[in-house]
Amino acid sequence: RINALSFYEMTFKALPYLEASKGHIFTTSSMGGEIPASFSSIYSSSKHAVNGFFYSLQQELLARQSPVGITVGALGLIVTDDMDAILGDEKSLFPSFAQGDVHVCATGMMDSLIIRPRTFSYPFIANKLQRFM
């Protein structure tokens, strides 16, 4: 419930203010919402719901020429200090192109507020490869 319904409620409550200010929504989601994975059906389905909501809302806002922009952040493995501590030696199981740097990710997220892409995928190469598989 929280993984999807909270997004809906917050968005609908904020939308009038965002329209008045020509604002932008950057929603942090997951590649799990773009591409299903084994042994993650509950997680993936909740992320699919979030992504579906925001992608549909993007289309609705475009159709009524709303000034509000939406970017869905489809994030993969971002190596934060906490994630590094959790993974430890197992981090080597993930190829380097599949591991995203937290600072590069944050910069990309901030750039999205200016550029306003519909989707921000990071780590870029890993996410593109997953989409083609």
Side-chain angles (χ1 to χ4, degrees):
R1 289 178 161 212
I2 291 173
N3 220 1
L5 297 179
S6 61
F7 283 93
Y8 309 159
E9 188 170 339
M10 288 188 327
T11 300
F12 286 126
K13 288 187 178 186
L15 211 47
Y17 302 101
L18 290 165
E19 289 193 322
S21 66
K22 299 179 180 165
H24 188 80
I25 298 169
F26 185 102
T27 185
T28 305
S29 188
S30 168
M31 277 308 293
E34 302 282 318
I35 301 161
S38 302
F39 308 107
S40 66
S41 58
I42 300 296
Y43 175 80
S44 290
S45 65
S46 68
K47 291 302 180 181
H48 277 283
V50 169
N51 291 7
F53 168 73
F54 281 108
Y55 287 134
S56 296
L57 185 57
Q58 280 176 341
Q59 297 306 306
E60 290 174 23
L61 295 174
L62 287 169
R64 61 183 172 118
Q65 299 179 340
S66 170
V68 177
I70 297 175
T71 301
V72 176
L75 307 179
L77 175 62
I78 309 301
V79 183
T80 62
D81 291 341
D82 289 340
M83 184 59 75
D84 197 33
I86 291 167
L87 291 175
D89 293 337
E90 292 182 18
K91 190 169 99 170
S92 64
L93 297 174
F94 299 93
S96 60
F97 67 82
Q99 299 177 36
D101 177 78
V102 68
H103 302 292
V104 175
C105 183
T107 300
M109 292 168 77
M110 295 301 291
D111 289 347
S112 293
L113 296 174
I114 297 166
I115 301 167
R116 295 185 170 207
R118 293 189 185 164
T119 304
F120 169 72
S121 295
Y122 186 78
F124 182 76
I125 294 173
N127 289 355
K128 291 297 178 191
L129 285 173
Q130 284 181 313
R131 288 175 195 270
F132 290 115
M133 296 175 111

